[in-house]
Amino acid sequence: MSVSIRSGFERIPSYRAGKPAQLGPDGLSAKLSSNENPYDPLPSVLDAITAAIPSSVNRYPSIAAPELTAALAERLGVEPENLAFGAGSVEVASQLIHALAGAGDEVMYAWRSFEAYPILVQLAGATPCQVPLDADGKHDLPAMADAITERTKLIFVCNPNNPTGTVVTHAEVEAFLARVPENVLVVLDEAYVHFNVDSDSAVGLDFFKRYPNVAVLHTFSKAYGLAGLRIGYAVAQPDVAEALRKAAIPFGMSALAQVGGVASLAAEAELQERVDVLVAERARVITALRAAGLPVIDSQANFVWIPAGDASEAVNDVFSARGVSVRCFPGDGVRVSIGAPHENDAVIEVAGSAAARL
C-alpha cells in the first residue's frame, strides 16, 4: 500500500521554470526565459557577499534581518515593522495567502498573470478567482471589482504584469480601491517596478501610505540581479507584516542574501545604470520586433510579450533553433526576456521568421 497524497493535489499544476537554451548554429546559448538580469553582480556587492561567506555558511541566519530591515526602511520611508521578508517575493506571496486565506476563501488575480498565483492559492487550500485580462493585455480592474464576493480575502495586482508587461494607472487603481471592501487586502506586486518608466503608472508605496488594506511586494531578483540568493519583501501594515513572519519558513532568507541586499541598496546608483541599459534595450527590441511583423505589446518590465495565440509554440521553435530560450505559454503567447545586447541581436535576427509563423 502506498501513502495517500492529499485529495485534489494532482490537479495543482507544477511551476515551470524557464528552460536553458540549446546551442544555436553559431554556438549562441541565450536563456531569455526567466526574466533574469543578464549582468554579473556589481563588484562591491560581490565583495560584500564573498567576505561574509566564512562566517555565514555554518550558522543560521538572523530571522529578523536587522541590517537589511534598517537599510530598507530608510530607503523606502517606512517603519521597520512594516517589512516582512522571504526567499524571493514569490515566497512572500505565499505567506500572504497562507496568512489571509484558507478553505472556502477566494484569492483573486488577473489571468494571464504570474504563473505561481494559482499554484500558491491551491496549495493553501483556498479558491483561485481568475479574471481575464482585457483585449490589450491589461488588468481589467472594473471586472475584478465586479467579481469581489463576501469570500474574497486577497487580490493580487501584478504591476507591471507578468507576462504581458502592461501597467495599471494611478487613476485606475484609485477607482478600483474605492470599490474594494476595507477587509480585503489588495497586493500590488511590483517585482519589475525598477524597469517601469510610465509616469501614469500606479506606485505601490503611494497607495500603501494612504490605504490600510494595501500591501506591496518587491524583490531583489530582477533589477538588483540577486535571483540566485532569493530575497524579497512585503511592505504592509504592522499586523499583516507580523502575520507574514508567522507564515514564513524559518531561516528562509540566508545571511548571504541579507548581506547582498544591504550592499545592493548602497550601490543603487550603479545598479540604475544597468537598469537604464536594459530599458533602452527593451525599446530597441520592441521597435525591431514590430518592424518584423510581430505584434509586441508595450512593456514596462524587463521582457516583452508576443501575443501569438495558437501559433505560440511555432514562434517558440524559431527562437529555440537560434539558440534562444524564451518562455512559451501555449495558446496565449511568448515572453522574451531582455538580455545582453548580443542576445537581443539574436532575437531580432530571427524576428521575421517568427512573424512568418503567425
Side-chain angles (χ1 to χ4, degrees):
M1 179 183 293
S2 61
V3 297
S4 178
I5 306 298
R6 192 181 89 192
S7 177
F9 202 80
E10 71 281 358
R11 295 192 295 273
I12 300 176
S14 298
Y15 184 82
R16 295 185 304 118
K19 294 181 179 180
Q22 64 184 36
L23 288 177
D26 60 354
L28 175 73
S29 177
K31 183 171 178 279
L32 303 182
S33 54
S34 297
N35 300 339
E36 296 155 325
N37 192 316
Y39 300 110
D40 294 337
L42 289 172
S44 62
V45 176
L46 191 58
D47 287 347
I49 294 170
T50 302
I53 290 175
S55 61
S56 300
V57 176
N58 64 317
R59 302 289 185 183
Y60 288 115
S62 168
I63 291 179
E67 293 84 3
L68 180 58
T69 298
L72 197 55
E74 181 179 0
R75 168 68 179 80
L76 300 177
V78 300
E79 298 300 322
E81 56 265 32
N82 293 130
L83 297 171
F85 295 91
S89 59
V90 64
E91 200 239 312
V92 186
S94 178
Q95 296 169 12
L96 281 162
I97 296 166
H98 280 275
L100 273 72
D105 297 328
E106 293 179 346
V107 178
M108 185 186 300
Y109 48 87
W111 198 252
R112 179 172 288 275
S113 192
F114 183 31
E115 190 176 3
Y117 292 155
I119 299 171
L120 299 176
V121 173
Q122 292 175 80
L123 286 173
T127 302
C129 178
Q130 299 183 166
V131 179
L133 298 170
D134 67 18
D136 297 319
K138 295 181 58 178
H139 281 67
D140 189 341
L141 292 182
M144 293 178 73
D146 290 341
I148 295 172
T149 72
E150 60 183 15
R151 296 168 57 196
T152 305
K153 301 298 181 183
L154 186 62
I155 302 172
F156 284 96
V157 178
C158 190
N159 187 51
N161 185 49
N162 176 17
T164 59
T166 54
V167 297
V168 290
T169 68
H170 178 95
E172 289 169 343
V173 173
E174 195 80 65
F176 177 64
L177 289 172
R179 298 184 59 191
V180 177
E182 293 181 356
N183 66 326
V184 176
L185 184 69
V186 176
V187 180
L188 295 173
D189 186 347
E190 296 183 331
Y192 302 94
V193 65
H194 296 87
F195 306 100
N196 186 356
V197 295
D198 188 332
S199 60
D200 289 330
S201 175
V203 177
L205 286 173
D206 291 347
F207 285 100
F208 160 74
K209 293 174 181 179
R210 293 192 297 116
Y211 288 87
N213 64 328
V214 168
V216 183
L217 287 182
H218 285 170
T219 182
F220 282 81
S221 295
K222 310 303 180 185
Y224 294 104
L226 301 182
L229 288 181
R230 311 307 302 131
I231 175 171
Y233 62 92
V235 184
Q237 294 302 320
D239 58 336
V240 175
E242 178 60 26
L244 299 189
R245 296 184 199 106
K246 290 182 180 180
I249 298 171
F251 308 112
M253 186 174 61
S254 72
L256 295 181
Q258 295 176 37
V259 168
V262 172
S264 294
L265 291 172
E268 280 196 316
E270 283 184 89
L271 287 166
Q272 186 60 49
E273 294 176 5
R274 293 183 169 187
V275 170
D276 292 343
V277 170
L278 290 170
V279 169
E281 281 292 290
R282 178 183 71 198
R284 181 173 77 93
V285 170
I286 289 175
T287 298
L289 297 192
R290 286 176 175 166
L294 289 170
V296 180
I297 292 178
D298 284 336
S299 174
Q300 291 296 330
N302 67 334
F303 54 81
V304 297
W305 174 248
I306 305 169
D310 292 339
S312 297
E313 291 174 287
V315 170
N316 174 75
D317 290 343
V318 172
F319 289 115
S320 180
R322 180 60 185 87
V324 177
S325 172
V326 299
R327 188 62 176 269
C328 178
F329 298 87
D332 288 330
V334 173
R335 190 192 68 198
V336 185
S337 304
I338 300 300
H342 73 281
E343 296 172 324
N344 301 329
D345 289 343
V347 170
I348 292 169
E349 177 189 320
V350 295
S353 298
R357 299 296 186 93
L358 297 178

